[in-house]
Amino acid sequence: MDPVGIAAAPEAGPGPSWQSKCPWGAPNTTSISCSLADVMSEQLAKELQLEEENAAFPEVVAVAEGPFITGEDVDTSSDLMLAQMLQMEFDREYDAQLRREERKINGDSKVSISFENFRKVHPYDSDSSEDEVDWQDTRHDPYRADKPTTTPRKGFIGKGKDITTKHDEVVCGRKNTARMENFAPEFQVGDGIGMDLKLSNQVFNALKQHAYSEERRSARLHEKKEHSTAEKAVDPKTRLLLYKMVNGGMLETITGCISTGKESVVFHAYGGQSATEDKVIPPECAIKVFKTTLNEFKNRDKYIKDDYRFKDRFSKLNPRKIIRMWAEKEMHNLTRMQDAGIPCPQVVILKKHVLVMSFIGQDQVPAPKLKDVTLSSEDMKKAYCQTLNMMQQLYKECKLVHADLSEYNMLWHDGKVWLIDVSQSVEPTHPHGLEFLFRDCRNVSQFFQKGGVAEALNERELFNAVSGLNITADNEVDFQAEIEALEKMNEDHVQNHGKKLSMFSSDGDPPIYDE
Ligand code: ADP
Ligand code: MN
């Protein structure tokens, strides 16, 4: 939410750059179907794991590797997905059965056989540690036959007409077979090394080439996974939630990622059909996924902990539920703003930690942030006046302080300013509500003053204009001190009388102290 975080996060534009990198791209290459299977297998495993974790200790959802893919044709892609899930499940069961048979046949015998090469799941596609434990590597079998003999260093053995040089076909073939040991450990060479196999140079070279390319593929696969984790992949549970929205028809397609920040990932989607007639889904939607880790959540709890609206619930909740509360808070705050007529995204639906709202922008291009747009001085002045009005409305009508207001969370669209990102917004009576408001005022003043708006009030004037308070201190330090004293007074009042000071509950009129 803070400007620094946003600046640090690479903003994915809607151009071809994200289309090529974005994990939401259409599944049109063969390599994707491979990593897709990977994803789905992991999803199943992780789901089960999460269920267990949930029961034991409610952990936060981890960001999983692997892309989430929707095709242009939603039905086809979800059928494909289902088919692949089923296939994966089948393959896993098949492999498990193989392992059981392997164990049954081998028993306690010192000589064991391996069905490794009959397994369905490619070792690169499987992350399951279960597989690793049971994987019988025949090449390390201590009971296997000795390696074929190779020629000594001098290059030939024998004498006279029995001499065999290193170029001898048979010796060379055996040597090639032995050299297969140098291939990457994942490379499946079967039982060839243990047998008296003779590989011609041609075959060996082809195999070597293949082994190297497999190695590179494996590295690429790994790299891709890490990349998508760092980028904007969502965890399996979120992916499932999003699938349901698309499958249910509420969303037409999820096209790509608009933004990835420390605390949320925002996607663009085309709206679909509403299940109920009274609700209209906007043609374009923004999906905000709250991807909160425990650390992030700790930094933010000051906003929610002291917000009396959430007071009773906070203490009883586990972190995962608190993440949902952020989303819920954003939804409530947006609804209040909408009711007051403040330009802001319209809430479509909230599902757990996923908030769907109307998209500010057009044709997949999000409206620019105020910090990124160059406005004429006329528009700049217009934007300022509008911002001042919105801040007053927000405070007086919505009883809210944005608490992260700056040019980073104001979008310029349709010739006006739109407010976004209100999950951290609090009521003015929040123990630090006025401090947050002062910070907002500082950001807004500085931005418009630097932007050349002569009318722009300074931060202290703006604070008074928005809050209706009349703090007279003429310097920032004293002003801040007075704000804190006010907050303390209000807290004490709440403690002693169980209610807020009337200055906070006035209905639009300039607030007055009743003490
Ligand atoms: P955070 O800053 O916490 O990551 P925001 O709500 O500010 O989350 O969203 C991040 C970015 O995503 C915004 O800066 C904006 O560019 C884009 N965005 C968010 N919501 C919308 C929306 N409804 N329409 C268009 N773009 C949006
Ligand atoms: Mn933001």
Side-chain angles (χ1 to χ4, degrees):
M1 298 285 160
D2 62 318
V4 182
I6 298 165
E11 290 280 357
S17 67
W18 70 254
Q19 272 168 351
S20 58
K21 278 189 294 175
C22 181
W24 297 70
N28 52 359
T29 62
T30 43
S31 66
I32 280 180
S33 73
C34 161
S35 70
L36 183 61
D38 190 6
V39 170
M40 297 322 290
S41 73
E42 196 171 87
Q43 171 169 337
L44 287 163
K46 273 226 167 96
E47 291 246 1
L48 291 172
Q49 192 193 335
L50 277 172
E51 259 2 301
E52 269 176 34
E53 275 174 12
N54 221 357
F57 173 69
E59 260 283 356
V60 214
V61 189
V63 174
E65 308 97 279
F68 171 60
I69 295 155
T70 53
E72 278 130 25
D73 183 341
V74 175
D75 285 332
T76 320
S77 77
S78 43
D79 282 353
L80 175 76
M81 182 67 75
L82 280 173
Q84 256 155 341
M85 277 173 82
L86 285 171
Q87 183 64 50
M88 206 59 190
E89 188 60 356
F90 173 82
D91 289 351
R92 286 182 163 273
E93 272 173 28
Y94 178 87
D95 288 349
Q97 180 61 27
L98 264 186
R99 275 195 294 273
R100 275 195 293 277
E101 277 178 33
E102 214 173 63
R103 239 173 272 150
K104 202 169 120 193
I105 291 173
N106 289 333
D108 295 332
S109 165
K110 283 185 176 173
V111 182
S112 62
I113 61 151
S114 167
F115 290 164
E116 180 56 40
N117 292 346
F118 297 98
R119 283 175 46 184
K120 295 257 181 192
V121 181
H122 193 285
Y124 305 157
D125 296 342
S126 161
D127 288 344
S128 145
S129 53
E130 183 200 355
D131 290 342
E132 277 158 34
V133 172
D134 276 1
W135 184 26
Q136 292 221 359
D137 190 337
T138 49
R139 284 163 296 160
H140 296 130
D141 188 346
Y143 301 106
R144 69 163 187 225
D146 286 339
K147 281 182 202 168
T149 45
T150 52
T151 43
R153 266 182 183 277
K154 58 185 177 180
F156 63 91
I157 41 171
K159 276 180 186 162
K161 65 177 170 57
D162 290 332
I163 193 164
T164 48
T165 69
K166 61 182 173 179
H167 302 295
D168 179 86
E169 205 181 312
V170 174
V171 173
C172 191
R174 284 184 180 145
K175 205 168 146 193
N176 282 342
T177 308
R179 278 156 79 192
M180 289 201 301
E181 280 230 87
N182 297 334
F183 292 165
E186 309 92 307
F187 191 68
Q188 307 283 301
V189 294
D191 294 335
I193 295 170
M195 295 175 191
D196 190 16
L197 250 181
K198 293 151 211 105
L199 291 181
S200 74
N201 282 350
Q202 197 189 0
V203 171
F204 175 78
N205 284 336
L207 269 175
K208 189 168 139 190
Q209 199 57 46
H210 179 63
Y212 286 164
S213 64
E214 278 285 274
E215 211 176 332
R216 281 200 301 275
R217 188 178 86 94
S218 172
R220 263 206 313 279
L221 213 72
H222 190 66
E223 197 177 273
K224 210 158 113 194
K225 273 188 195 171
E226 300 220 310
H227 207 62
S228 55
T229 312
E231 238 174 52
K232 45 227 128 187
V234 293
D235 63 276
K237 287 224 158 163
T238 309
R239 233 173 284 155
L240 214 63
L241 276 177
L242 297 177
Y243 274 133
K244 281 184 187 165
M245 290 179 185
V246 176
N247 278 344
M250 201 194 77
L251 296 177
E252 182 71 36
T253 9
I254 298 170
T255 60
C257 179
I258 308 168
S259 149
T260 165
K262 269 193 305 176
E263 294 155 340
S264 73
V265 186
V266 181
F267 298 98
H268 171 274
Y270 283 109
Q273 295 296 315
S274 172
T276 53
E277 283 198 359
D278 55 320
K279 200 168 181 175
V280 181
I281 312 267
E284 290 183 76
C285 295
I287 308 169
K288 185 166 177 178
V289 177
F290 289 76
K291 64 152 203 208
T292 318
T293 64
L294 214 55
N295 277 345
E296 233 83 68
F297 142 77
K298 272 188 182 142
N299 296 337
R300 298 187 98 208
D301 74 346
K302 69 172 184 292
Y303 290 103
I304 209 165
K305 202 171 67 194
D306 299 329
D307 192 327
Y308 79 90
R309 290 179 295 169
F310 296 88
K311 217 162 206 157
D312 295 339
R313 296 164 58 189
F314 190 83
S315 54
K316 299 174 201 140
L317 293 173
N318 67 44
R320 203 195 298 251
K321 291 211 175 113
I322 292 170
I323 299 164
R324 289 185 200 168
M325 270 167 77
W326 286 111
E328 197 184 312
K329 210 155 159 313
E330 175 129 32
M331 177 189 71
H332 287 311
N333 293 341
L334 283 175
T335 308
R336 279 197 203 183
M337 289 159 70
Q338 196 79 42
D339 291 347
I342 296 174
C344 68
Q346 192 190 338
V347 174
V348 176
I349 201 167
L350 171 77
K351 288 264 188 224
K352 296 183 179 174
H353 57 293
V354 175
L355 179 67
V356 182
M357 55 189 145
S358 64
F359 179 73
I360 313 301
Q362 212 186 344
D363 298 332
Q364 298 187 40
V365 183
K369 298 181 183 94
L370 226 43
K371 78 161 181 83
D372 291 327
V373 78
T374 319
L375 297 181
S376 67
S377 58
E378 198 186 323
D379 274 345
M380 197 68 172
K381 189 181 156 190
K382 202 168 111 186
Y384 171 72
C385 294
Q386 198 208 329
T387 304
L388 173 59
N389 264 325
M390 285 195 297
M391 287 178 81
Q392 288 175 325
Q393 270 184 296
L394 197 62
Y395 190 94
K396 298 203 170 103
E397 292 171 39
C398 308
K399 304 266 182 299
L400 283 177
V401 170
H402 188 291
D404 193 16
L405 191 64
S406 72
E407 59 275 27
Y408 288 81
N409 283 327
M410 294 191 263
L411 305 183
W412 183 254
H413 178 65
D414 250 1
K416 59 184 174 193
V417 179
W418 297 65
L419 297 187
I420 58 159
D421 201 359
V422 290
S423 63
Q424 74 293 313
S425 301
V426 294
E427 305 220 332
T429 47
H430 182 287
H432 304 289
L434 296 182
E435 288 167 76
F436 296 150
L437 176 64
F438 191 41
R439 196 176 60 191
D440 286 353
C441 290
R442 193 182 300 136
N443 292 338
V444 169
S445 278
Q446 279 174 5
F447 176 75
F448 285 105
Q449 281 179 342
K450 275 188 196 147
V453 178
E455 293 84 351
L457 299 173
N458 71 34
E459 62 217 43
R460 280 162 284 138
E461 293 164 335
L462 184 59
F463 179 92
N464 283 335
V466 170
S467 65
L469 294 166
N470 188 25
I471 297 179
T472 50
D474 60 359
N475 67 78
E476 178 148 356
V477 176
D478 291 348
F479 202 92
Q480 183 87 29
E482 275 200 52
I483 288 176
E484 282 168 29
L486 263 179
E487 287 176 338
K488 179 148 194 329
M489 206 164 89
N490 184 53
E491 270 300 273
D492 292 346
H493 195 271
V494 172
Q495 293 287 320
N496 299 334
H497 305 273
K499 65 179 172 72
K500 301 173 268 178
L501 280 176
S502 64
M503 68 167 189
F504 290 115
S505 45
S506 71
D507 285 317
D509 302 325
I512 3 143
Y513 300 101
D514 66 350
E515 287 194 347

